[in-house]
Structure formats: structure tokens, C-alpha cells
């Protein structure tokens, strides 16, 4: 199965499996996402090339992004958008930018966070969160007790810090995989959440 966008560009470098030939659990998940969103995000089709890795990827994704905790779902998406921009991952900036616009109910925020979160219309607490996530993304070896102390002054709990680090680390892997596979963002993502 070859998938292409309206511009006829392929959605990824590796073979895209036929939806009907996929294992039932993966096909069901993809069809559920299609029913909910009206389209199949290309990440599902590209990663379906390797079913075991697809399952592991989305299990960890869901554990990080859909759980309750001190970070809102919008704040989790802010981390993805900011660090994905630093990693030059077009797919994740575009796709998670759309999700951020929807979760934050703000058509401007995702672009602000992607371009320069330090100038974005977010709180000092959220900027501290993104400072830490960016450090984890670029130089996790340099994380130290001062980072934890700074986050604590902004009201972040240690479990929140774990979530920040895990999201930045997971999407660092995701960004690299998306770049290597030449994963192309769905055109639908560009318009989602743009109009209030």
C-alpha cells in the first residue's frame, strides 16, 4: 500500500503496510483514530511497518500523554512542540501543534511555543517546565539539583519533573525516527484548531 498526500509526496520513506493486512489490534486502533479524527495520522501508518514497535511506541506514548498528573494535557503538548522544534522534527511540530491548539483552546499558542517559547503567552511556571524539558532534550547529562530546586520554586512536584523528562526523552526518540523515516505531516493538521 503506498500512501501519498494531496501533493503526491509519499508519507514516509519505508513501505506503508496495507491496512487490511495488519494485525487486528493495530488495525482496530488505526480505524478508531480515523473515526475520531476523520483521517489517519501518518505516524500510525508509518510505524505500522513494524507491528511490535508500533505497540510499544503507542503504549509508552499513551502512558505519558493520557495520564492524570500535575501537568495538564496542554502542558504535555507544549513540551512536545518545543522540544520537537529544537530537534527539527516537522511531523511532530505540525501534528502536536494542532493538538496543542485544540487542548489549550488557543489558536496562537502552538506557533508561539514552537518558534520561541520564552516569548510565548505562557506562565513563568510553564516557561520553567519548558526550560527543563529543553535541557533534557539537548543535554540531559547536565541536569542537576539546581534544576529540581528551580522547578520546585514554581510549584512542580518531583513526579511532574519525571513526566517532563520522560516526555522530552520519548519525543526525542520519536523526532529522530520521524526524521529518518521522512514522516510527512498530514495536511489536515495544518488547519486544526486555527479558528476559535
Amino acid at each position: 500500500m503506498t500512501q501519498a498526500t494531496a501533493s503526491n509526496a509519499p508519507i514516509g520513506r519505508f513501505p506503508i503496510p496495507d491496512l487490511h493486512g495488519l494485525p487486528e489490534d493495530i488495525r482496530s486502533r488505526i480505524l478508531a483514530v480515523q473515526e475520531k479524527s476523520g483521517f489517519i495520522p501518518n505516524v500510525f501508518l508509518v510505524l505500522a511497518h513494524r507491528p511490535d514497535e508500533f505497540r510499544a511506541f503507542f503504549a509508552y506514548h499513551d502512558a505519558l500523554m493520557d495520564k492524570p498528573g500535575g501537568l495538564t494535557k496542554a502542558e504535555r503538548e507544549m513540551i512536545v512542540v518545543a522540544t520537537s522544534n529544537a530537534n527539527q522534527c516537522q511531523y511532530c511540530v505540525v501534528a502536536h501543534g494542532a493538538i496543542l491548539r485544540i487542548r489549550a483552546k488557543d489558536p496562537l499558542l502552538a506557533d508561539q511555543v514552537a518558534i520561541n517559547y520564552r516569548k510565548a503567552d505562557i506562565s513563568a511556571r510553564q516557561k520553567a517546565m519548558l526550560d527543563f524539558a529543553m535541557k533534557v532534550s539537548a543535554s540531559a547529562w547536565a541536569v542537576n539539583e539546581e534544576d529540581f530546586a528551580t522547578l520546585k520554586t514554581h510549584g512542580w512536584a518531583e513526579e511532574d519533573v519525571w513526566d517532563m523528562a520522560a516526555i522530552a526523552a520519548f519525543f526525542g526518540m520519536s523526532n529522530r525516527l520521524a526524521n529518518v523515516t521522512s514522516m510527512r505531516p498530514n495536511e489536515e493538521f495544518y488547519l486544526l484548531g486555527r479558528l476559535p
Side-chain angles (χ1 to χ4, degrees):
M1 173 176 166
T2 55
Q3 288 279 349
T5 62
S7 63
N8 218 22
I11 66 167
R13 183 190 190 296
F14 292 85
I16 303 302
D18 181 66
L19 193 59
H20 301 292
L22 288 172
E24 178 57 32
D25 62 317
I26 294 175
R27 183 173 56 254
S28 294
R29 173 143 191 181
I30 291 172
L31 292 174
V33 169
Q34 182 181 32
E35 186 175 325
K36 182 177 180 182
S37 64
F39 65 99
I40 301 172
N42 290 339
V43 66
F44 288 90
L45 297 171
V46 171
L47 294 184
H49 176 65
R50 296 213 170 175
D52 289 340
E53 293 170 42
F54 176 104
R55 292 180 187 102
F57 180 94
F58 284 108
Y60 196 37
H61 171 278
D62 295 350
L64 291 173
M65 302 302 286
D66 294 337
K67 67 184 242 177
L71 281 77
T72 67
K73 288 187 176 186
E75 287 168 338
R76 292 169 195 273
E77 296 296 340
M78 285 182 206
I79 293 171
V80 179
V81 171
T83 59
S84 295
N85 179 55
N87 291 325
Q88 298 185 46
C89 181
Q90 183 185 59
Y91 184 89
C92 292
V93 171
V94 172
H96 288 274
I99 298 167
L100 175 54
R101 287 190 297 274
I102 292 165
R103 295 224 161 127
K105 296 177 178 56
D106 184 336
L108 308 179
L109 185 61
D111 293 336
Q112 293 175 356
V113 169
I115 295 165
N116 184 353
Y117 71 89
R118 292 171 194 88
K119 305 281 187 196
D121 295 326
I122 59 176
S123 68
R125 183 175 194 256
Q126 291 166 332
K127 286 178 185 167
M129 171 191 76
L130 293 177
D131 284 340
F132 178 73
M134 294 292 277
K135 187 172 185 177
V136 170
S137 182
S139 52
W141 54 268
V143 170
N144 58 44
E145 289 304 315
E146 286 181 30
D147 298 310
F148 285 87
T150 298
L151 290 165
K152 188 174 183 179
T153 66
H154 286 281
W156 293 111
E158 290 228 345
E159 291 300 314
D160 301 331
V161 178
W162 179 295
D163 287 341
M164 293 170 199
I167 293 165
F170 175 79
F171 278 94
M173 181 273 292
S174 178
N175 297 158
R176 286 157 179 80
L177 193 55
N179 277 324
V180 170
T181 61
S182 300
M183 194 182 300
R184 189 175 178 89
N186 299 69
E187 293 169 6
E188 292 89 341
F189 281 128
Y190 289 93
L191 300 179
L192 285 176
R194 292 273 179 204
L195 296 175

